[in-house]
Amino acid sequence: MLWIKAFHILFVTSWFAGLFYLPRIFVNLALVPPASTAERDRLLLMARKLLRFMTGLAVPALAFGLWLWLGVGIGRGPGNGWMHAKLTLVLVLLGYHGWCAVLLRRFEAHANRHSHRWYRWFNEVPVLVLLAVVLLVVLKPF
């Protein structure tokens, strides 16, 4: 079980690194001048590869987490409201991940609707959610 926990943490940490960095690429894409196609193409390639990589990390992270929850029983039973809160935040992050994919498709279609400032704020969302998840897991407040 400790190996499963270790791999879950490893995959989740790597997935979060992608969730932190992909919107940063979006900030740079939003700043690219229209005439700079080489820079835009390079950033789009980086974003596509990162999205594919972090999607590949999210799947085993979720599988290990579900196994720990449903198979081993971690966080089940009375007094484990923290797990329900954590799972809700994980669903929020999965939505954020999907939203990143939508934003990337918009950049690829030359249909970006947001400024670089908007993407800077968008980039802070996973940081706040990660803080909440860590506090829930460590403190188990309810």
Side-chain angles (χ1 to χ4, degrees), residues 102-118:
V102 168
L103 292 172
L104 177 57
R105 283 194 297 275
R106 286 184 186 161
F107 272 113
E108 290 172 331
H110 297 275
N112 174 41
R113 299 182 214 156
H114 303 292
S115 70
H116 69 93
R117 284 189 182 92
W118 187 89

Side-chain angles (χ1 to χ4, degrees), residues 5-6 9 16 22 38 54 57 73-74 77 96 101 108 120 127 133-134 139:
K5 277 186 180 181
I9 292 168
F16 262 101
L22 185 59
M54 55 191 259
L57 291 169
I74 293 176
Y96 182 86
E108 290 172 331
R120 289 179 197 276
V127 176
V133 168
V134 168
L139 300 176

Side-chain angles (χ1 to χ4, degrees), residues 49-63:
K49 286 183 176 185
L50 181 57
L51 182 64
R52 190 175 332 119
F53 178 71
M54 55 191 259
T55 300
L57 291 169
V59 171
L62 288 168

Side-chain angles (χ1 to χ4, degrees), residues 11-26:
F11 281 106
V12 167
T13 304
S14 300
W15 177 47
F16 262 101
L19 286 177
F20 293 154
Y21 191 59
L22 185 59
R24 187 65 212 163
I25 294 174
F26 293 162

